[in-house]
Amino acid sequence: MANVNPDLRKERENGTFSVEKLTNLLDGGKHVTDRRRHVERLALNEFSKGEDYNFMSRKERYISALHKTERALRCCKEYGLTKPDEVYWLWQLAFPHEASPIQLHGDMFLPTLTRQGTEEQVNKYLPLAEKYQIIGTYAQTEMGHGTFIRGLETTATYDPQTEEFILHSPTLTSLKWWPGGLGKTSNYAIVMALLYTNGKNYGMHPFMVQLRSHETHEPLPGITIGDIGPKFGFDTIDNGFVQFDHFRIPREDMLMKYSQVLKDGTYVKSTKLKKSSYGVMVLVRSMLIYYLAIQGLAPACTIAIRYSAVRRQSEQTKSQLEPQILDYQTQQYKLFPILASAYAVLFTGVKMKEIYYEVDNEIQQGHTERLPELHALSSGLKALTSSMASWCIERCRLACGGHGYSAASGFPKIYVAVTAACTYEGENTVMLLQCARYLIKTYQGASNGKKLSGSVSYLSDKVNSRSTITSEFSLKSLVDAFKHRAFRFQACGSDPEDSWNRNSVVLTKAAEAHCYYYMVSVFESVVEAVEDDAVKRVVGQLCQLFALFAIHENAGDFVQDGFISNDQMELVKWKELSLLSDIRRNAVLLVDAFDFHDEFIGSILGRFDGNVYANLFEWAKSSPLNKPEVQESYIKYLQPLLNPNKSKL
Ligand SMILES: CCCCCCCC/C=C\CCC/C=C/C(=O)SCCNC(=O)CCNC(=O)[C@H](O)C(C)(C)COP(=O)(O)OP(=O)(O)OC[C@H]1O[C@@H](n2cnc3c(N)ncnc32)[C@H](O)[C@@H]1OP(=O)(O)O
Ligand SMILES: Cc1cc2nc3c(=O)[nH]c(=O)nc-3n(C[C@H](O)[C@H](O)[C@H](O)COP(=O)(O)OP(=O)(O)OC[C@H]3O[C@@H](n4cnc5c(N)ncnc54)[C@H](O)[C@@H]3O)c2cc1C
């Protein structure tokens, strides 16, 4: 590539492995890389030019996103992109670190319809939804309740006289609040409401509800609807509110795959599937983990590491060139564990998607045995990885000094999009407690001799009482360390005598320990499967660093019961720091392997060519505030101060 910053060029000439081979590994094979690049070329043709998001108002961002949505849908149709991965590749270049106003249509509305609707209901609504004559959202959260689903207040009362459900918002706190695309975009929603029939409350059930006229898009009578206003981020999504005033829908519009209300109002439960109406949340939580890597951790560390290779600052040796800040050990300690985390979360996300589809297929065949474990694992990993991603993106920003604070860095847009995942789809603390609840039950089962499988099989294993960590730092010995910690937390966190709340801080840590063990195990198995020696070595170093950084940061957990001795902990710290210099040589190549386009990263600091300063200056000059040279506000507000005499003339 012409005119690449010389420092970056040197980094790329000095690596020890094939970037292309690592990209193929991250994609899941060369054929996937080739296909992805093909789709991305199509997307760049359509979306690489356009107004700078940073210089738009919120309303402009929403309108621009609607326009891009229409173009993206047209592109997918024109190019025959139907596979979820292919649509995702195009979509993420159309909406870099944004989301379309119709995001919930595909992410939650359609999956809920196809999984909770009867065959007739799917046949009726799916064709319309696939043609976008229906654009739907998923309306569950209310102003007064998001976490505690059983506390939701919206009611759906069956009227056998008219064979209709009456949807009603009985209180101010019962207004549906937050659903994405609800404010101005969607004309339908799947509304989660308390089902009342024959005077009895049967709990939360899903209802297909038309919100707006097909002809005019006006809200239907009995519906008050709108946008909830500016948020921390996600400006392009009109998260909205809706208030129902005795709004009637036909009986046939309760999604009745798992439970039915007959014409006479009789309630029939036709499934042993526990929490069947909670299913779509498991889907999104399971899919989120990969998204947090690819949309959060990986772009953030790409920006910070590339910038750290071109940024020269301060003086290490008299009369020498100012060093690349990437050569400071402190900068490496800030960034390389994050690079390792990006790989760890990506590999875990790939694994989580595989498990989800396995269990989902089993459930469709009526086998629900693995659902509790899937719910627990997806809840815990969603919480751990979204918290990790939030923390890491902020640390990457801080590592880039003043320019890291500029919108030109790309960090603000990445951060506000990713950090929302700590809250939506289940607030993280609550998700960790859900995971812990499952772990306690399975640990108690294991203590009674039950043989466990899957991600909790270790709870019925015998665990070492002393670490086998040596100066070799084998990945197996590191996995064993996390296995021991997780086991110990489950054992001590499960005292049935203690009240749940008094134990809940420890329980959240037990859930995190379980998820960390899972992530290190997945990372180790990926490394073991790598065939190319050079790639295996460098990815193995990242796995070691991911584990050692976590051991060092949580040293107390590992030395408290003597599992890791003080001498071994000294070895851990030594190895962690020596890995920083081992990884230094390949750092830029390890982020190049993510194979991001500059248009996706959206960062002047993280450009592939490393030409930061010239492009930063051009970007600043293009800011609307710089035109005209003297703003009208000068005349009104500054001149009276600066030139009081002149302003009186
Ligand atoms: C797909 C691509 C993703 C990419 C994304 C890109 C960008 C995205 C941009 C925007 C998207 C944002 C969209 C956001 C949408 C939302 O936020 S939708 C609303 C989400 N809300 C929640 O998650 C609510 C969280 N609360 C709960 O889930 C529940 O209240 C609860 C905490 C689980 C408690 O429920 P409840 O009180 O009913 O249950 P308990 O009585 O405590 O019993 C718990 C038992 O139930 C089992 N359980 C719980 N949940 C589930 C489940 N989902 N599936 C299966 N089983 C479940 C649990 O294991 C307990 O079982 P036990 O009794 O045997 O122990
Ligand atoms: C960007 C964004 C998009 C969203 N999109 C949608 C959508 O499309 N559809 C939809 O239905 N919803 C959506 N939501 C809402 C989201 O699902 C809820 O905000 C989320 O479930 C958290 O619930 P809450 O807001 O009631 O928080 P709360 O539960 O009130 O959390 C507040 C605090 O209370 C604590 N807390 C609550 N319960 C417990 C407990 N049992 N134990 C310990 N601590 C507890 C929490 O840990 C947290 O610290 C969205 C939210 C955001 C931010």
Side-chain angles (χ1 to χ4, degrees):
M1 185 175 189
N3 79 325
V4 173
N5 171 287
D7 285 328
L8 263 189
R9 184 192 299 280
K10 188 158 101 319
E11 298 287 337
R12 289 173 177 145
E13 288 164 355
N14 193 30
T16 65
F17 69 97
S18 157
V19 172
E20 189 63 13
K21 285 182 177 171
L22 182 49
T23 297
N24 296 162
L25 173 72
L26 296 175
D27 277 328
K30 182 182 181 317
H31 64 291
V32 180
T33 300
D34 294 345
R35 183 66 185 160
R36 171 178 58 76
R37 286 172 175 164
H38 168 71
V39 172
E40 288 175 347
R41 278 192 294 274
L42 299 174
L44 288 174
N45 283 338
E46 178 68 29
F47 295 102
S48 57
K49 297 285 173 285
E51 257 193 284
D52 191 313
Y53 179 92
N54 295 302
F55 300 140
M56 288 183 191
S57 69
R58 182 183 177 219
K59 189 168 184 177
E60 288 166 337
R61 289 174 174 178
Y62 169 70
I63 293 166
S64 163
L66 270 186
H67 184 200
K68 288 197 291 186
T69 298
E70 182 270 324
R71 289 157 58 200
L73 293 175
R74 183 162 32 81
C75 280
C76 288
K77 194 170 178 181
E78 207 172 289
Y79 302 128
L81 305 181
T82 53
K83 294 186 185 132
D85 281 351
E86 294 178 348
V87 173
Y88 175 75
W89 293 328
L90 181 129
W91 219 254
Q92 73 166 355
L93 278 171
F95 296 93
H97 312 297
E98 304 165 25
S100 160
I102 70 165
Q103 187 84 32
L104 271 293
H105 180 79
D107 287 353
M108 297 193 81
F109 178 81
L110 286 180
T112 306
L113 170 61
T114 53
R115 286 169 171 78
Q116 311 258 348
T118 61
E119 194 176 340
E120 296 76 17
Q121 290 171 323
V122 173
N123 290 341
K124 175 181 177 185
Y125 286 110
L126 189 58
L128 296 171
E130 285 175 335
K131 286 185 289 198
Y132 298 93
Q133 288 166 21
I134 284 181
I135 293 178
T137 183
Y138 180 82
Q140 174 177 294
T141 302
E142 296 173 356
M143 187 189 278
H145 290 91
T147 287
F148 187 49
I149 293 179
R150 284 183 289 124
L152 294 172
E153 299 174 85
T154 301
T155 57
T157 307
Y158 184 63
D159 177 353
Q161 305 305 316
T162 62
E163 296 182 15
E164 292 172 318
F165 286 102
I166 304 163
L167 260 71
H168 187 59
S169 306
T171 61
L172 180 61
T173 51
S174 69
L175 266 66
K176 291 299 178 185
W177 200 276
W178 274 109
L182 178 62
K184 309 306 287 181
T185 308
S186 303
N187 59 355
Y188 274 71
I190 288 174
V191 175
M192 306 304 277
L194 295 177
L195 165 62
Y196 281 85
T197 180
N198 294 333
K200 187 176 176 204
N201 174 0
Y202 288 90
M204 196 182 72
H205 287 71
F207 297 85
M208 175 66 75
V209 182
Q210 182 177 349
L211 303 168
R212 292 176 177 274
S213 153
H214 281 288
E215 291 69 40
T216 65
H217 204 57
E218 288 289 337
L220 297 180
I223 286 185
T224 304
I225 195 167
D227 178 80
I228 63 172
K231 308 179 290 283
F232 199 66
F234 278 130
D235 283 357
T236 56
I237 297 189
D238 50 316
N239 297 83
F241 65 84
V242 63
Q243 181 179 38
F244 297 106
D245 179 6
H246 300 93
F247 182 76
R248 288 176 173 267
I249 63 172
R251 180 183 69 89
E252 295 75 15
D253 281 346
M254 170 182 155
L255 298 186
M256 296 202 204
K257 180 173 182 178
Y258 292 116
S259 45
Q260 297 82 36
V261 170
L262 308 183
K263 288 184 179 178
D264 66 356
T266 306
Y267 179 77
V268 178
K269 188 127 182 92
S270 59
T271 175
K272 58 180 178 16
L273 181 58
K274 188 166 189 177
K275 302 287 181 181
S276 56
S277 58
Y278 290 19
V280 75
M281 292 179 276
V282 180
L283 163 67
V284 180
R285 291 168 192 155
S286 301
M287 299 300 133
L288 263 178
I289 294 134
Y290 181 79
Y291 159 83
L292 291 164
I294 287 296
Q295 297 268 352
L297 279 156
C301 65
T302 299
I303 295 166
I305 286 171
R306 284 181 180 164
Y307 180 64
S308 299
V310 301
R311 180 73 168 178
R312 288 179 172 274
Q313 197 69 201
S314 305
E315 188 178 49
Q316 266 185 331
T317 320
K318 283 277 181 228
S319 74
Q320 295 277 321
L321 252 182
E322 290 182 78
Q324 293 165 282
I325 58 176
L326 198 56
D327 286 330
Y328 290 116
Q329 186 189 59
T330 50
Q331 190 78 354
Q332 295 168 12
Y333 190 70
K334 289 174 192 173
L335 297 180
F336 293 172
I338 293 173
L339 175 61
S341 301
Y343 275 79
V345 173
L346 190 151
F347 293 142
T348 303
V350 169
K351 183 69 178 172
M352 198 63 239
K353 286 203 273 187
E354 279 170 23
I355 294 175
Y356 176 81
Y357 286 120
E358 272 173 32
V359 176
D360 191 43
N361 284 332
E362 290 168 12
I363 290 171
Q364 304 303 326
Q365 316 299 324
H367 306 299
T368 61
E369 300 76 18
R370 290 175 66 190
L371 177 58
E373 183 201 356
L374 174 66
H375 163 57
L377 188 60
S378 59
S379 298
L381 284 173
K382 176 265 183 193
L384 179 61
T385 56
S386 55
S387 299
M388 194 185 281
S390 283
W391 182 82
C392 289
I393 294 164
E394 173 61 356
R395 193 165 168 91
C396 285
R397 174 187 74 81
L398 290 167
C400 294
H403 299 325
Y405 193 72
S406 165
S409 69
F411 287 125
K413 202 178 172 189
I414 294 171
Y415 182 76
V416 297
V418 166
T419 198
C422 295
T423 306
Y424 68 58
E425 288 305 347
E427 198 280 329
N428 280 357
T429 304
V430 176
M431 291 297 100
L432 289 171
L433 291 171
Q434 277 294 305
C435 181
R437 173 181 173 136
Y438 173 73
L439 292 171
I440 286 178
K441 294 182 72 168
T442 40
Y443 178 80
Q444 285 163 350
S447 306
N448 298 326
K450 187 178 176 190
K451 189 70 182 141
L452 301 174
S453 60
S455 61
V456 289
S457 58
Y458 69 100
L459 292 177
S460 48
D461 289 353
K462 283 281 160 269
V463 285
N464 294 335
S465 59
R466 289 290 174 270
S467 168
T468 57
I469 285 178
T470 65
S471 57
E472 295 301 308
F473 288 98
S474 75
L475 297 187
K476 287 263 185 271
S477 69
L478 297 175
V479 170
D480 190 50
F482 285 88
K483 175 177 174 179
H484 177 88
R485 178 176 74 149
F487 187 95
R488 195 165 67 81
F489 262 111
Q490 309 328 329
C492 69
S494 60
D495 180 343
E497 300 313 310
D498 275 6
S499 81
W500 177 263
N501 191 39
R502 202 169 60 228
N503 231 356
S504 52
V505 170
V506 172
L507 288 169
T508 57
K509 302 240 175 279
E512 286 175 337
H514 171 74
C515 293
Y516 247 108
Y517 165 54
Y518 185 80
M519 290 179 72
V520 176
S521 303
V522 167
F523 206 156
E524 185 261 348
S525 55
V526 168
V527 173
E528 291 311 318
V530 175
E531 290 167 6
D532 181 273
D533 289 343
V535 170
K536 190 189 198 79
R537 176 175 162 70
V538 73
V539 176
Q541 288 172 340
L542 290 179
C543 183
Q544 283 182 317
L545 183 59
F546 178 70
L548 294 171
F549 179 77
I551 291 174
H552 186 188
E553 289 285 299
N554 302 282
D557 293 348
F558 295 90
V559 299
Q560 190 177 9
D561 65 341
F563 178 74
I564 290 183
S565 68
N566 285 333
D567 289 348
Q568 284 174 314
M569 192 51 78
E570 285 310 307
L571 263 180
V572 164
K573 293 176 195 171
W574 165 80
K575 180 66 176 175
E576 182 188 29
L577 295 178
S578 67
L579 273 171
L580 298 181
S581 47
D582 296 341
I583 291 168
R584 166 67 187 85
R585 178 174 181 179
N586 288 308
V588 168
L589 298 172
L590 284 164
V591 297
D592 284 354
F594 294 129
D595 203 28
F596 291 136
H597 291 277
D598 285 351
E599 291 81 354
F600 167 67
I601 297 183
S603 166
I604 289 173
L605 308 191
R607 292 170 58 95
F608 183 85
D609 64 12
N611 294 323
V612 171
Y613 297 130
N615 286 285
L616 189 60
F617 188 33
E618 288 310 310
W619 180 84
K621 286 191 289 184
S622 73
S623 169
L625 201 56
N626 287 321
K627 301 182 186 64
E629 192 54 57
V630 177
Q631 297 282 340
E632 190 190 317
S633 50
Y634 163 76
I635 308 296
K636 287 173 75 173
Y637 306 114
L638 270 179
Q639 189 175 61
L641 296 174
L642 298 172
N643 300 304
N645 300 331
K646 183 171 181 181
S647 60
K648 290 193 184 85
L649 294 180

